[in-house]
Amino acid sequence: LITGDNKGQTCIWSRSGDLLQILPGPDALSSLAVSPDGRVLVTGSREGILQMWSMDDENGVRTQIADLGIQNSGNFWSNGSGMVGVAPHRGLIFTASHGSGPHPNAVQAWNLRGGHLTPAFVLEGLTAPPPMIAVSPDERYLAASSATRAGEGSVLLWDLETRTHRVILESSTMAKVFFSPDSRTLATRLVQSANPTDPVQFWDTATGEGPLAETMHLREGIPGSDFTPDGRQLIVSEFLHGAPIRFFDFDRETRASTLTNQAIPGNEGRFTKFSISPDGSFLMVVSTHGQHTNLWNLPDLTPRGPNPRVDLRDWAFSSAISPDGSLVAVGGGNSKVVVARSDGSGQEVAAFQGPSTGFLKFAADLKFTDNRTLLASFNDGTLLSYGLPSRIELQNNICLLY
């Protein structure tokens, strides 16, 4: 288990809970990532400093193999759009430049093969350091969005085979970028635009042509959007009071999007997050009214039986779906976490709280590591692992955790 704290320390723990090693960092850590083969660890700090560590030492000692320097600070977005992109099959990691050096406005590619970091190549063409990077699922394309303080923004699309790029979009602000599951379409949506409404626009990744089509104009707010796993629908939410979650039929050939008559109506609060099950069979929605946790079958958007019996009086900040889709978890205010069945019974199977409770204490992030183990991160800096019973019976009482 690997954890990071607000002192900049990365701690390596054994399965039995013994502290194996402490890796020093420059300031409070905000993110951690391990390569798919488990050989490389990357840490990111709140000030945007990335460090890379080798996990290969035969004696279990982790040594720093690179300091990637200061990256542009900013928020990470869903759908793979953030300050770092990974192409595991190519053995590459992509990082944003930090506004200095020989390539101040570029995307730096690093070669990860063999667990040793070496510069691979540089992708240039942006007018400002790129705060958002996304790699297509087939690892053929990379998109990056940037904007200057003077209000000059752009989205560039690179072909990683030829390392050539096209200017996709020029705007006054940065854009969220994400790819369709088949990698044929790049979707963009302006963030913090001066316009009160902006659509999601679609571009052909092979030719760079577009926008080939766009959605209806959506109200201003923090955009949440995702394709369903089959790529046939686009789901869009807005962090606004009363705003619904909208569904668009998406034509993968023409990129035309048609607003369906399906929608999850807004409530008196705001939708904070939606999650799609790994197999695309259902959608989970949570909101600022924690008791409003709903499961909907896809694609017909029918209720999936009784909703999970989640009793969160405050905001629901986080959610997770187990890999096999059998369990859902919701985390909210007062550091409370509830786990429930997703089979339509609505049965709550576990409930627990983090070590710190009270006002402004909440479960910030949840993740199933397997079908019966849940990691819960709380905003007091605590990370806890909960083992759920290997066999969960439908019954009236709550299953106890072991």
mmCIF file of all heavy atoms in Angstrom, residues 221-271:
data_model
loop_
_atom_site.group_PDB
_atom_site.id
_atom_site.type_symbol
_atom_site.label_atom_id
_atom_site.label_comp_id
_atom_site.label_asym_id
_atom_site.label_seq_id
_atom_site.Cartn_x
_atom_site.Cartn_y
_atom_site.Cartn_z
ATOM 1 N N GLY A 221 -21.172 26.083 -15.778
ATOM 2 C CA GLY A 221 -20.951 25.314 -14.559
ATOM 3 C C GLY A 221 -19.812 24.336 -14.788
ATOM 4 O O GLY A 221 -19.346 24.153 -15.898
ATOM 5 N N ILE A 222 -19.333 23.699 -13.715
ATOM 6 C CA ILE A 222 -18.260 22.722 -13.858
ATOM 7 C C ILE A 222 -18.779 21.553 -14.680
ATOM 8 O O ILE A 222 -19.739 20.891 -14.291
ATOM 9 C CB ILE A 222 -17.791 22.237 -12.483
ATOM 10 C CG1 ILE A 222 -17.248 23.420 -11.671
ATOM 11 C CG2 ILE A 222 -16.732 21.159 -12.620
ATOM 12 C CD1 ILE A 222 -16.883 23.073 -10.259
ATOM 13 N N PRO A 223 -18.199 21.289 -15.845
ATOM 14 C CA PRO A 223 -18.762 20.260 -16.709
ATOM 15 C C PRO A 223 -18.370 18.856 -16.277
ATOM 16 O O PRO A 223 -17.228 18.583 -15.940
ATOM 17 C CB PRO A 223 -18.152 20.590 -18.075
ATOM 18 C CG PRO A 223 -16.834 21.224 -17.754
ATOM 19 C CD PRO A 223 -17.031 21.959 -16.448
ATOM 20 N N GLY A 224 -19.344 17.969 -16.295
ATOM 21 C CA GLY A 224 -19.088 16.549 -16.127
ATOM 22 C C GLY A 224 -19.642 15.834 -17.342
ATOM 23 O O GLY A 224 -20.793 16.051 -17.719
ATOM 24 N N SER A 225 -18.859 15.013 -17.994
ATOM 25 C CA SER A 225 -19.325 14.347 -19.210
ATOM 26 C C SER A 225 -18.543 13.070 -19.423
ATOM 27 O O SER A 225 -17.382 12.957 -19.032
ATOM 28 C CB SER A 225 -19.186 15.268 -20.425
ATOM 29 O OG SER A 225 -17.906 15.856 -20.484
ATOM 30 N N ASP A 226 -19.209 12.101 -20.059
ATOM 31 C CA ASP A 226 -18.561 10.825 -20.305
ATOM 32 C C ASP A 226 -19.336 10.078 -21.377
ATOM 33 O O ASP A 226 -20.555 10.233 -21.509
ATOM 34 C CB ASP A 226 -18.521 9.989 -19.030
ATOM 35 C CG ASP A 226 -17.427 8.940 -19.060
ATOM 36 O OD1 ASP A 226 -16.752 8.816 -20.098
ATOM 37 O OD2 ASP A 226 -17.248 8.248 -18.046
ATOM 38 N N PHE A 227 -18.605 9.279 -22.162
ATOM 39 C CA PHE A 227 -19.235 8.360 -23.086
ATOM 40 C C PHE A 227 -19.573 7.069 -22.351
ATOM 41 O O PHE A 227 -18.854 6.652 -21.441
ATOM 42 C CB PHE A 227 -18.292 8.028 -24.252
ATOM 43 C CG PHE A 227 -18.125 9.132 -25.262
ATOM 44 C CD1 PHE A 227 -17.008 9.957 -25.236
ATOM 45 C CD2 PHE A 227 -19.073 9.336 -26.253
ATOM 46 C CE1 PHE A 227 -16.841 10.962 -26.168
ATOM 47 C CE2 PHE A 227 -18.918 10.342 -27.194
ATOM 48 C CZ PHE A 227 -17.807 11.155 -27.160
ATOM 49 N N THR A 228 -20.658 6.425 -22.765
ATOM 50 C CA THR A 228 -20.913 5.080 -22.277
ATOM 51 C C THR A 228 -19.857 4.151 -22.886
ATOM 52 O O THR A 228 -19.267 4.469 -23.918
ATOM 53 C CB THR A 228 -22.322 4.616 -22.668
ATOM 54 O OG1 THR A 228 -22.498 4.759 -24.093
ATOM 55 C CG2 THR A 228 -23.376 5.436 -21.944
ATOM 56 N N PRO A 229 -19.581 2.997 -22.258
ATOM 57 C CA PRO A 229 -18.510 2.127 -22.757
ATOM 58 C C PRO A 229 -18.655 1.708 -24.218
ATOM 59 O O PRO A 229 -17.650 1.470 -24.894
ATOM 60 C CB PRO A 229 -18.586 0.920 -21.816
ATOM 61 C CG PRO A 229 -19.105 1.480 -20.541
ATOM 62 C CD PRO A 229 -20.107 2.515 -20.960
ATOM 63 N N ASP A 230 -19.898 1.614 -24.728
ATOM 64 C CA ASP A 230 -20.069 1.242 -26.134
ATOM 65 C C ASP A 230 -19.985 2.443 -27.069
ATOM 66 O O ASP A 230 -20.038 2.285 -28.295
ATOM 67 C CB ASP A 230 -21.390 0.504 -26.345
ATOM 68 C CG ASP A 230 -22.612 1.359 -26.003
ATOM 69 O OD1 ASP A 230 -22.450 2.564 -25.719
ATOM 70 O OD2 ASP A 230 -23.730 0.802 -26.007
ATOM 71 N N GLY A 231 -19.844 3.652 -26.510
ATOM 72 C CA GLY A 231 -19.694 4.843 -27.329
ATOM 73 C C GLY A 231 -20.961 5.324 -27.992
ATOM 74 O O GLY A 231 -20.925 6.253 -28.812
ATOM 75 N N ARG A 232 -22.097 4.755 -27.661
ATOM 76 C CA ARG A 232 -23.344 5.107 -28.339
ATOM 77 C C ARG A 232 -24.081 6.262 -27.677
ATOM 78 O O ARG A 232 -25.008 6.817 -28.259
ATOM 79 C CB ARG A 232 -24.267 3.892 -28.417
ATOM 80 C CG ARG A 232 -23.696 2.752 -29.261
ATOM 81 C CD ARG A 232 -24.673 1.596 -29.343
ATOM 82 N NE ARG A 232 -24.121 0.493 -30.124
ATOM 83 C CZ ARG A 232 -24.163 0.420 -31.451
ATOM 84 N NH1 ARG A 232 -24.743 1.384 -32.138
ATOM 85 N NH2 ARG A 232 -23.642 -0.620 -32.083
ATOM 86 N N GLN A 233 -23.685 6.618 -26.471
ATOM 87 C CA GLN A 233 -24.339 7.726 -25.788
ATOM 88 C C GLN A 233 -23.314 8.594 -25.086
ATOM 89 O O GLN A 233 -22.241 8.130 -24.680
ATOM 90 C CB GLN A 233 -25.365 7.225 -24.768
ATOM 91 C CG GLN A 233 -26.703 6.805 -25.373
ATOM 92 C CD GLN A 233 -27.792 6.714 -24.311
ATOM 93 O OE1 GLN A 233 -27.576 6.214 -23.217
ATOM 94 N NE2 GLN A 233 -28.981 7.207 -24.628
ATOM 95 N N LEU A 234 -23.669 9.858 -24.966
ATOM 96 C CA LEU A 234 -22.893 10.826 -24.191
ATOM 97 C C LEU A 234 -23.766 11.282 -23.040
ATOM 98 O O LEU A 234 -24.944 11.618 -23.230
ATOM 99 C CB LEU A 234 -22.496 12.018 -25.058
ATOM 100 C CG LEU A 234 -21.742 13.147 -24.353
ATOM 101 C CD1 LEU A 234 -20.309 12.718 -24.077
ATOM 102 C CD2 LEU A 234 -21.755 14.420 -25.192
ATOM 103 N N ILE A 235 -23.198 11.267 -21.836
ATOM 104 C CA ILE A 235 -23.923 11.695 -20.644
ATOM 105 C C ILE A 235 -23.274 12.974 -20.138
ATOM 106 O O ILE A 235 -22.055 13.055 -20.007
ATOM 107 C CB ILE A 235 -23.892 10.609 -19.554
ATOM 108 C CG1 ILE A 235 -24.411 9.272 -20.115
ATOM 109 C CG2 ILE A 235 -24.736 11.025 -18.352
ATOM 110 C CD1 ILE A 235 -24.316 8.124 -19.133
ATOM 111 N N VAL A 236 -24.085 13.989 -19.860
ATOM 112 C CA VAL A 236 -23.570 15.304 -19.471
ATOM 113 C C VAL A 236 -24.292 15.784 -18.225
ATOM 114 O O VAL A 236 -25.524 15.722 -18.138
ATOM 115 C CB VAL A 236 -23.761 16.336 -20.607
ATOM 116 C CG1 VAL A 236 -23.280 17.709 -20.160
ATOM 117 C CG2 VAL A 236 -23.019 15.907 -21.859
ATOM 118 N N SER A 237 -23.526 16.251 -17.247
ATOM 119 C CA SER A 237 -24.108 16.836 -16.044
ATOM 120 C C SER A 237 -23.523 18.220 -15.844
ATOM 121 O O SER A 237 -22.474 18.561 -16.388
ATOM 122 C CB SER A 237 -23.826 15.966 -14.812
ATOM 123 O OG SER A 237 -22.439 15.947 -14.530
ATOM 124 N N GLU A 238 -24.229 19.026 -15.044
ATOM 125 C CA GLU A 238 -23.775 20.379 -14.717
ATOM 126 C C GLU A 238 -23.926 20.579 -13.215
ATOM 127 O O GLU A 238 -24.922 20.157 -12.629
ATOM 128 C CB GLU A 238 -24.600 21.412 -15.474
ATOM 129 C CG GLU A 238 -24.495 21.282 -16.981
ATOM 130 C CD GLU A 238 -25.683 21.912 -17.692
ATOM 131 O OE1 GLU A 238 -26.780 21.351 -17.593
ATOM 132 O OE2 GLU A 238 -25.501 22.949 -18.334
ATOM 133 N N PHE A 239 -22.929 21.204 -12.624
ATOM 134 C CA PHE A 239 -22.942 21.418 -11.177
ATOM 135 C C PHE A 239 -23.734 22.687 -10.873
ATOM 136 O O PHE A 239 -23.217 23.691 -10.416
ATOM 137 C CB PHE A 239 -21.514 21.513 -10.652
ATOM 138 C CG PHE A 239 -21.426 21.519 -9.147
ATOM 139 C CD1 PHE A 239 -21.825 20.416 -8.406
ATOM 140 C CD2 PHE A 239 -20.928 22.620 -8.480
ATOM 141 C CE1 PHE A 239 -21.734 20.418 -7.023
ATOM 142 C CE2 PHE A 239 -20.830 22.638 -7.093
ATOM 143 C CZ PHE A 239 -21.230 21.535 -6.364
ATOM 144 N N LEU A 240 -25.023 22.631 -11.145
ATOM 145 C CA LEU A 240 -25.907 23.768 -10.935
ATOM 146 C C LEU A 240 -27.167 23.288 -10.226
ATOM 147 O O LEU A 240 -27.636 22.164 -10.444
ATOM 148 C CB LEU A 240 -26.293 24.417 -12.274
ATOM 149 C CG LEU A 240 -25.158 25.054 -13.084
ATOM 150 C CD1 LEU A 240 -25.657 25.446 -14.460
ATOM 151 C CD2 LEU A 240 -24.604 26.273 -12.355
ATOM 152 N N HIS A 241 -27.738 24.136 -9.400
ATOM 153 C CA HIS A 241 -28.966 23.788 -8.697
ATOM 154 C C HIS A 241 -30.060 23.468 -9.707
ATOM 155 O O HIS A 241 -30.345 24.252 -10.613
ATOM 156 C CB HIS A 241 -29.408 24.945 -7.796
ATOM 157 C CG HIS A 241 -28.655 25.014 -6.504
ATOM 158 N ND1 HIS A 241 -28.838 24.097 -5.491
ATOM 159 C CD2 HIS A 241 -27.705 25.878 -6.060
ATOM 160 C CE1 HIS A 241 -28.045 24.399 -4.471
ATOM 161 N NE2 HIS A 241 -27.338 25.472 -4.790
ATOM 162 N N GLY A 242 -30.671 22.301 -9.552
ATOM 163 C CA GLY A 242 -31.805 21.932 -10.375
ATOM 164 C C GLY A 242 -31.478 21.461 -11.769
ATOM 165 O O GLY A 242 -32.387 21.112 -12.530
ATOM 166 N N ALA A 243 -30.196 21.443 -12.152
ATOM 167 C CA ALA A 243 -29.835 21.046 -13.513
ATOM 168 C C ALA A 243 -29.954 19.528 -13.657
ATOM 169 O O ALA A 243 -29.497 18.782 -12.803
ATOM 170 C CB ALA A 243 -28.420 21.494 -13.845
ATOM 171 N N PRO A 244 -30.574 19.044 -14.744
ATOM 172 C CA PRO A 244 -30.705 17.597 -14.933
ATOM 173 C C PRO A 244 -29.426 16.990 -15.495
ATOM 174 O O PRO A 244 -28.516 17.701 -15.934
ATOM 175 C CB PRO A 244 -31.842 17.488 -15.951
ATOM 176 C CG PRO A 244 -31.666 18.726 -16.795
ATOM 177 C CD PRO A 244 -31.201 19.804 -15.837
ATOM 178 N N ILE A 245 -29.349 15.673 -15.473
ATOM 179 C CA ILE A 245 -28.312 14.949 -16.207
ATOM 180 C C ILE A 245 -28.922 14.564 -17.547
ATOM 181 O O ILE A 245 -29.968 13.916 -17.604
ATOM 182 C CB ILE A 245 -27.840 13.703 -15.441
ATOM 183 C CG1 ILE A 245 -27.143 14.134 -14.146
ATOM 184 C CG2 ILE A 245 -26.888 12.867 -16.300
ATOM 185 C CD1 ILE A 245 -26.654 12.976 -13.306
ATOM 186 N N ARG A 246 -28.276 14.981 -18.622
ATOM 187 C CA ARG A 246 -28.840 14.800 -19.954
ATOM 188 C C ARG A 246 -28.151 13.653 -20.690
ATOM 189 O O ARG A 246 -26.961 13.399 -20.491
ATOM 190 C CB ARG A 246 -28.717 16.085 -20.770
ATOM 191 C CG ARG A 246 -29.498 17.270 -20.207
ATOM 192 C CD ARG A 246 -29.354 18.480 -21.119
ATOM 193 N NE ARG A 246 -30.201 19.584 -20.693
ATOM 194 C CZ ARG A 246 -29.814 20.547 -19.875
ATOM 195 N NH1 ARG A 246 -28.581 20.513 -19.397
ATOM 196 N NH2 ARG A 246 -30.624 21.524 -19.538
ATOM 197 N N PHE A 247 -28.910 13.030 -21.581
ATOM 198 C CA PHE A 247 -28.415 11.922 -22.382
ATOM 199 C C PHE A 247 -28.534 12.281 -23.860
ATOM 200 O O PHE A 247 -29.572 12.762 -24.315
ATOM 201 C CB PHE A 247 -29.207 10.645 -22.090
ATOM 202 C CG PHE A 247 -28.976 10.086 -20.721
ATOM 203 C CD1 PHE A 247 -29.523 10.700 -19.603
ATOM 204 C CD2 PHE A 247 -28.209 8.944 -20.544
ATOM 205 C CE1 PHE A 247 -29.320 10.190 -18.327
ATOM 206 C CE2 PHE A 247 -27.995 8.427 -19.271
ATOM 207 C CZ PHE A 247 -28.549 9.045 -18.176
ATOM 208 N N PHE A 248 -27.450 12.036 -24.586
ATOM 209 C CA PHE A 248 -27.437 12.286 -26.015
ATOM 210 C C PHE A 248 -27.123 10.976 -26.742
ATOM 211 O O PHE A 248 -26.156 10.286 -26.389
ATOM 212 C CB PHE A 248 -26.359 13.313 -26.385
ATOM 213 C CG PHE A 248 -26.595 14.681 -25.814
ATOM 214 C CD1 PHE A 248 -26.192 14.992 -24.522
ATOM 215 C CD2 PHE A 248 -27.204 15.679 -26.566
ATOM 216 C CE1 PHE A 248 -26.391 16.254 -23.987
ATOM 217 C CE2 PHE A 248 -27.409 16.946 -26.048
ATOM 218 C CZ PHE A 248 -27.006 17.233 -24.763
ATOM 219 N N ASP A 249 -27.937 10.629 -27.731
ATOM 220 C CA ASP A 249 -27.564 9.551 -28.635
ATOM 221 C C ASP A 249 -26.430 10.049 -29.510
ATOM 222 O O ASP A 249 -26.501 11.159 -30.052
ATOM 223 C CB ASP A 249 -28.753 9.120 -29.495
ATOM 224 C CG ASP A 249 -29.776 8.319 -28.704
ATOM 225 O OD1 ASP A 249 -29.382 7.681 -27.718
ATOM 226 O OD2 ASP A 249 -30.959 8.342 -29.083
ATOM 227 N N PHE A 250 -25.399 9.246 -29.658
ATOM 228 C CA PHE A 250 -24.210 9.679 -30.390
ATOM 229 C C PHE A 250 -23.991 8.764 -31.589
ATOM 230 O O PHE A 250 -23.868 7.542 -31.431
ATOM 231 C CB PHE A 250 -22.989 9.654 -29.468
ATOM 232 C CG PHE A 250 -21.726 10.144 -30.111
ATOM 233 C CD1 PHE A 250 -21.557 11.492 -30.383
ATOM 234 C CD2 PHE A 250 -20.712 9.264 -30.444
ATOM 235 C CE1 PHE A 250 -20.396 11.953 -30.973
ATOM 236 C CE2 PHE A 250 -19.545 9.707 -31.029
ATOM 237 C CZ PHE A 250 -19.391 11.056 -31.298
ATOM 238 N N ASP A 251 -23.979 9.347 -32.785
ATOM 239 C CA ASP A 251 -23.720 8.602 -34.016
ATOM 240 C C ASP A 251 -22.215 8.567 -34.237
ATOM 241 O O ASP A 251 -21.595 9.601 -34.493
ATOM 242 C CB ASP A 251 -24.415 9.269 -35.204
ATOM 243 C CG ASP A 251 -24.356 8.427 -36.470
ATOM 244 O OD1 ASP A 251 -23.252 7.937 -36.809
ATOM 245 O OD2 ASP A 251 -25.392 8.276 -37.130
ATOM 246 N N ARG A 252 -21.629 7.388 -34.151
ATOM 247 C CA ARG A 252 -20.177 7.276 -34.220
ATOM 248 C C ARG A 252 -19.632 7.551 -35.616
ATOM 249 O O ARG A 252 -18.426 7.770 -35.777
ATOM 250 C CB ARG A 252 -19.747 5.887 -33.741
ATOM 251 C CG ARG A 252 -19.952 5.681 -32.242
ATOM 252 C CD ARG A 252 -19.654 4.276 -31.808
ATOM 253 N NE ARG A 252 -20.649 3.329 -32.324
ATOM 254 C CZ ARG A 252 -20.641 2.041 -32.050
ATOM 255 N NH1 ARG A 252 -19.681 1.527 -31.288
ATOM 256 N NH2 ARG A 252 -21.571 1.247 -32.534
ATOM 257 N N GLU A 253 -20.496 7.567 -36.629
ATOM 258 C CA GLU A 253 -20.054 7.871 -37.987
ATOM 259 C C GLU A 253 -20.123 9.371 -38.285
ATOM 260 O O GLU A 253 -19.152 9.978 -38.715
ATOM 261 C CB GLU A 253 -20.902 7.089 -39.005
ATOM 262 C CG GLU A 253 -20.783 5.578 -38.870
ATOM 263 C CD GLU A 253 -19.359 5.090 -39.065
ATOM 264 O OE1 GLU A 253 -18.636 5.674 -39.909
ATOM 265 O OE2 GLU A 253 -18.958 4.124 -38.383
ATOM 266 N N THR A 254 -21.282 9.977 -38.041
ATOM 267 C CA THR A 254 -21.462 11.403 -38.354
ATOM 268 C C THR A 254 -21.102 12.307 -37.183
ATOM 269 O O THR A 254 -20.941 13.504 -37.356
ATOM 270 C CB THR A 254 -22.917 11.675 -38.747
ATOM 271 O OG1 THR A 254 -23.762 11.437 -37.604
ATOM 272 C CG2 THR A 254 -23.346 10.769 -39.887
ATOM 273 N N ARG A 255 -20.999 11.735 -35.976
ATOM 274 C CA ARG A 255 -20.764 12.465 -34.718
ATOM 275 C C ARG A 255 -21.949 13.335 -34.326
ATOM 276 O O ARG A 255 -21.845 14.197 -33.454
ATOM 277 C CB ARG A 255 -19.518 13.342 -34.783
ATOM 278 C CG ARG A 255 -18.220 12.596 -34.532
ATOM 279 C CD ARG A 255 -17.825 11.738 -35.664
ATOM 280 N NE ARG A 255 -16.417 11.320 -35.566
ATOM 281 C CZ ARG A 255 -15.774 10.704 -36.518
ATOM 282 N NH1 ARG A 255 -16.386 10.413 -37.650
ATOM 283 N NH2 ARG A 255 -14.512 10.353 -36.365
ATOM 284 N N ALA A 256 -23.055 13.125 -34.962
ATOM 285 C CA ALA A 256 -24.248 13.882 -34.580
ATOM 286 C C ALA A 256 -24.738 13.400 -33.227
ATOM 287 O O ALA A 256 -24.713 12.203 -32.928
ATOM 288 C CB ALA A 256 -25.341 13.703 -35.631
ATOM 289 N N SER A 257 -25.140 14.333 -32.400
ATOM 290 C CA SER A 257 -25.667 14.000 -31.080
ATOM 291 C C SER A 257 -27.101 14.481 -30.998
ATOM 292 O O SER A 257 -27.413 15.618 -31.362
ATOM 293 C CB SER A 257 -24.827 14.635 -29.979
ATOM 294 O OG SER A 257 -24.835 16.037 -30.104
ATOM 295 N N THR A 258 -27.964 13.620 -30.560
ATOM 296 C CA THR A 258 -29.378 13.939 -30.460
ATOM 297 C C THR A 258 -29.809 13.839 -29.018
ATOM 298 O O THR A 258 -29.644 12.791 -28.378
ATOM 299 C CB THR A 258 -30.216 12.970 -31.318
ATOM 300 O OG1 THR A 258 -29.740 12.987 -32.661
ATOM 301 C CG2 THR A 258 -31.682 13.364 -31.288
ATOM 302 N N LEU A 259 -30.341 14.942 -28.500
ATOM 303 C CA LEU A 259 -30.826 14.936 -27.125
ATOM 304 C C LEU A 259 -32.015 13.987 -27.034
ATOM 305 O O LEU A 259 -32.974 14.100 -27.786
ATOM 306 C CB LEU A 259 -31.246 16.339 -26.699
ATOM 307 C CG LEU A 259 -31.752 16.484 -25.254
ATOM 308 C CD1 LEU A 259 -30.641 16.196 -24.268
ATOM 309 C CD2 LEU A 259 -32.329 17.875 -25.033
ATOM 310 N N THR A 260 -31.910 13.016 -26.155
ATOM 311 C CA THR A 260 -32.987 12.056 -26.003
ATOM 312 C C THR A 260 -34.033 12.604 -25.041
ATOM 313 O O THR A 260 -33.834 13.618 -24.370
ATOM 314 C CB THR A 260 -32.457 10.714 -25.478
ATOM 315 O OG1 THR A 260 -32.071 10.880 -24.110
ATOM 316 C CG2 THR A 260 -31.257 10.258 -26.295
ATOM 317 N N ASN A 261 -35.148 11.911 -24.995
ATOM 318 C CA ASN A 261 -36.156 12.310 -24.011
ATOM 319 C C ASN A 261 -35.869 11.715 -22.647
ATOM 320 O O ASN A 261 -36.653 11.844 -21.718
ATOM 321 C CB ASN A 261 -37.556 11.900 -24.481
ATOM 322 C CG ASN A 261 -37.665 10.405 -24.753
ATOM 323 O OD1 ASN A 261 -36.736 9.648 -24.468
ATOM 324 N ND2 ASN A 261 -38.784 9.978 -25.306
ATOM 325 N N GLN A 262 -34.712 11.040 -22.551
ATOM 326 C CA GLN A 262 -34.277 10.511 -21.275
ATOM 327 C C GLN A 262 -33.499 11.578 -20.525
ATOM 328 O O GLN A 262 -32.687 12.288 -21.106
ATOM 329 C CB GLN A 262 -33.389 9.285 -21.472
ATOM 330 C CG GLN A 262 -34.081 8.101 -22.113
ATOM 331 C CD GLN A 262 -33.106 6.977 -22.378
ATOM 332 O OE1 GLN A 262 -32.027 7.206 -22.910
ATOM 333 N NE2 GLN A 262 -33.469 5.764 -22.005
ATOM 334 N N ALA A 263 -33.737 11.676 -19.260
ATOM 335 C CA ALA A 263 -32.993 12.614 -18.416
ATOM 336 C C ALA A 263 -33.233 12.245 -16.970
ATOM 337 O O ALA A 263 -34.276 11.686 -16.621
ATOM 338 C CB ALA A 263 -33.423 14.056 -18.677
ATOM 339 N N ILE A 264 -32.253 12.519 -16.161
ATOM 340 C CA ILE A 264 -32.417 12.380 -14.720
ATOM 341 C C ILE A 264 -32.735 13.773 -14.201
ATOM 342 O O ILE A 264 -31.902 14.680 -14.268
ATOM 343 C CB ILE A 264 -31.150 11.821 -14.062
ATOM 344 C CG1 ILE A 264 -30.858 10.417 -14.611
ATOM 345 C CG2 ILE A 264 -31.292 11.790 -12.550
ATOM 346 C CD1 ILE A 264 -29.571 9.821 -14.108
ATOM 347 N N PRO A 265 -33.962 13.999 -13.755
ATOM 348 C CA PRO A 265 -34.362 15.359 -13.385
ATOM 349 C C PRO A 265 -33.564 15.878 -12.206
ATOM 350 O O PRO A 265 -33.162 15.128 -11.320
ATOM 351 C CB PRO A 265 -35.845 15.215 -13.048
ATOM 352 C CG PRO A 265 -36.008 13.773 -12.673
ATOM 353 C CD PRO A 265 -35.030 13.019 -13.524
ATOM 354 N N GLY A 266 -33.323 17.176 -12.210
ATOM 355 C CA GLY A 266 -32.623 17.802 -11.102
ATOM 356 C C GLY A 266 -33.481 17.811 -9.850
ATOM 357 O O GLY A 266 -34.706 17.727 -9.902
ATOM 358 N N ASN A 267 -32.824 17.887 -8.716
ATOM 359 C CA ASN A 267 -33.560 18.004 -7.469
ATOM 360 C C ASN A 267 -33.215 19.343 -6.831
ATOM 361 O O ASN A 267 -32.631 20.220 -7.459
ATOM 362 C CB ASN A 267 -33.251 16.826 -6.535
ATOM 363 C CG ASN A 267 -31.747 16.649 -6.297
ATOM 364 O OD1 ASN A 267 -31.008 17.620 -6.195
ATOM 365 N ND2 ASN A 267 -31.301 15.403 -6.210
ATOM 366 N N GLU A 268 -33.574 19.505 -5.582
ATOM 367 C CA GLU A 268 -33.326 20.793 -4.931
ATOM 368 C C GLU A 268 -31.845 21.024 -4.664
ATOM 369 O O GLU A 268 -31.451 22.123 -4.278
ATOM 370 C CB GLU A 268 -34.110 20.880 -3.617
ATOM 371 C CG GLU A 268 -33.746 19.828 -2.585
ATOM 372 C CD GLU A 268 -34.573 18.559 -2.715
ATOM 373 O OE1 GLU A 268 -35.032 18.269 -3.835
ATOM 374 O OE2 GLU A 268 -34.767 17.879 -1.699
ATOM 375 N N GLY A 269 -31.033 20.014 -4.867
ATOM 376 C CA GLY A 269 -29.595 20.165 -4.692
ATOM 377 C C GLY A 269 -28.869 20.178 -6.023
ATOM 378 O O GLY A 269 -29.394 20.629 -7.040
ATOM 379 N N ARG A 270 -27.649 19.674 -6.022
ATOM 380 C CA ARG A 270 -26.841 19.590 -7.228
ATOM 381 C C ARG A 270 -26.305 18.173 -7.356
ATOM 382 O O ARG A 270 -25.947 17.558 -6.358
ATOM 383 C CB ARG A 270 -25.653 20.557 -7.171
ATOM 384 C CG ARG A 270 -25.983 21.990 -6.846
ATOM 385 C CD ARG A 270 -24.721 22.831 -6.800
ATOM 386 N NE ARG A 270 -24.969 24.180 -6.330
ATOM 387 C CZ ARG A 270 -24.069 25.154 -6.329
ATOM 388 N NH1 ARG A 270 -22.836 24.902 -6.753
ATOM 389 N NH2 ARG A 270 -24.358 26.354 -5.905
ATOM 390 N N PHE A 271 -26.218 17.692 -8.585
ATOM 391 C CA PHE A 271 -25.581 16.401 -8.807
ATOM 392 C C PHE A 271 -24.073 16.584 -8.676
ATOM 393 O O PHE A 271 -23.479 17.423 -9.346
ATOM 394 C CB PHE A 271 -25.933 15.854 -10.185
ATOM 395 C CG PHE A 271 -27.373 15.452 -10.320
ATOM 396 C CD1 PHE A 271 -28.181 16.012 -11.287
ATOM 397 C CD2 PHE A 271 -27.915 14.500 -9.472
ATOM 398 C CE1 PHE A 271 -29.504 15.632 -11.407
ATOM 399 C CE2 PHE A 271 -29.243 14.115 -9.583
ATOM 400 C CZ PHE A 271 -30.040 14.684 -10.561
#
